[in-house]
């Protein structure tokens, strides 16, 4: 039993909170997120870590630099967690953390973790969480390229798609009146 | 006059000349999100094309997104954030 992959829940995380949410220059570790969601009643922990990739369309990426509207980003993350718990009934706890500032190649910028009694809910939930985060949490990244290739602000396709959806719903509503 | 706080992020912050926060006074006639867009375009020429285009710049009023086509009234003490297309993750 001494060779467990994850440590048992640590005493520092013995909180009654259901969610661990943070948008900060100090990103909590994957281990901390797993420990937060870990629970004796749960047989599954699913995690997702998004890391900085070293290339984009043939250009060499040196780092990503993140900026966020912290209070709103944390509020949106909380809303996403509420939606996820409603959608996947077995979810016990969720950790959703995002970095701010510079994130070099290979380092994580976002970590999501959740726990449930059985595996399926957690696996699906973690996918839902990252898709929803990309669609609605006000955080921005600038991709920085090697040499004289400069840098650009990126745009998530999930944000664009979400906006089109909202407009379509609105248009249908106005037809009724 | 009412006074609101405007927050600039990412490309909107840069387009406004690297300003991240500004207090703006509005007359009762101007106290809505549509007039605010027009005033910001006048005050920050670099931001004009972006701020006038709802496709390109979304507003958040007191940490809630304003959906496209919606014009909301503003009151004293409100916070408006300029939200360019997001790219977290």
């Amino acid at each position: 039993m001494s060779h467990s992959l994850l440590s048992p829940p640590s005493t520092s995380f013995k909180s009654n909170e259901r969610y661990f949410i943070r948008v900060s220059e100090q990103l909590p570790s994957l281990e901390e997120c797993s420990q937060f969601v870990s629970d004796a009643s749960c047989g599954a922990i699913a995690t997702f870590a998004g890391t900085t990739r070293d290339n984009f369309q043939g250009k060499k990426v040196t780092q990503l630099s993140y900026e966020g509207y912290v209070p709103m980003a944390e509020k949106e993350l909380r809303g996403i967690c509420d939606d996820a718990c409603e959608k996947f009934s077995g979810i016990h706890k969720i950790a959703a953390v995002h970095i701010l500032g510079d994130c070099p190649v290979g380092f994580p910028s976002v970590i999501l973790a959740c726990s449930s009694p059985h595996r399926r809910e957690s696996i699906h939930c973690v996918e839902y969480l990252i898709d929803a985060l990309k669609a609605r949490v006000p955080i921005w990244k600038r991709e920085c390229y090697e040499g004289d290739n400069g840098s650009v602000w990126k745009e998530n396709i999930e944000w664009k798609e979400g906006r089109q959806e909202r407009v379509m719903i609105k248009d249908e509503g106005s037809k009724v009146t | 006059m009412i006074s609101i706080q405007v927050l600039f992020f990412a490309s909107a912050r840069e387009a406004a000349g690297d300003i991240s926060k500004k207090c703006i006074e509005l007359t009762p006639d101007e106290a809505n999100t549509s007039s605010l867009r027009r005033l910001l375009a006048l005050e920050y020429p670099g931001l004009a094309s972006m701020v006038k285009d709802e496709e390109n710049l979304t507003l958040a009023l007191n940490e809630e997104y304003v959906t496209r086509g919606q014009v909301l009234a503003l009151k004293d003490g409100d916070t408006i954030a300029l939200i360019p297309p997001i790219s977290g993750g």
Side-chain angles (χ1 to χ4, degrees), chain A residues 66-69 71-72 75 98 109 133-142 153-156 159 163 167 170, chain B residues 7 9-11 13-14 54-55 58 60 62-65 67-69 79 81 83-89:
Chain A
Y66 287 92
E67 178 172 331
Y69 181 11
M72 183 171 170
K75 183 177 162 186
H98 200 295
S109 55
L133 181 151
K134 282 176 160 280
R136 58 184 261 209
V137 177
I139 292 175
W140 298 267
K141 68 167 155 264
R142 188 182 253 297
W153 288 108
K154 305 287 282 185
E155 173 174 0
N156 287 343
W159 164 257
R163 301 205 45 173
V167 168
K170 198 167 173 292
Chain B
L7 306 176
F9 290 100
S11 54
R13 172 177 52 72
E14 291 176 350
E54 282 193 82
E55 284 275 337
T58 301
N62 301 329
E63 300 174 10
E64 297 273 350
Y65 288 117
T67 54
R68 205 163 7 157
T79 298
I83 312 274
I86 64 170
S87 47

Side-chain angles (χ1 to χ4, degrees), chain A residues 18-109:
Chain A
R18 192 174 192 189
Y19 308 142
F20 172 39
I21 288 173
R22 187 166 300 167
V23 175
S24 147
E25 292 191 357
Q26 261 69 52
L27 188 75
S29 68
L30 183 60
E31 175 77 12
E32 282 176 273
C33 292
S34 295
Q35 280 187 11
F36 175 81
V37 300
S38 166
D39 190 89
S41 69
C42 291
I45 295 174
T47 64
F48 171 83
T51 58
T52 299
R53 187 179 48 237
D54 71 355
N55 69 91
F56 179 72
Q57 292 179 349
K59 282 184 277 192
K60 196 161 170 43
V61 173
T62 55
Q63 67 172 19
L64 301 174
S65 192
Y66 287 92
E67 178 172 331
Y69 181 11
V70 176
M72 183 171 170
E74 293 189 339
K75 183 177 162 186
E76 286 294 319
L77 281 174
R78 206 165 288 280
I80 288 169
C81 290
D82 286 342
D83 292 350
C85 287
E86 204 167 300
K87 211 171 160 67
F88 307 102
S89 57
I91 297 302
H92 183 67
K93 281 186 164 190
I94 301 177
V97 300
H98 200 295
I99 203 170
L100 293 179
D102 296 340
C103 188
V105 168
F107 283 80
S109 55

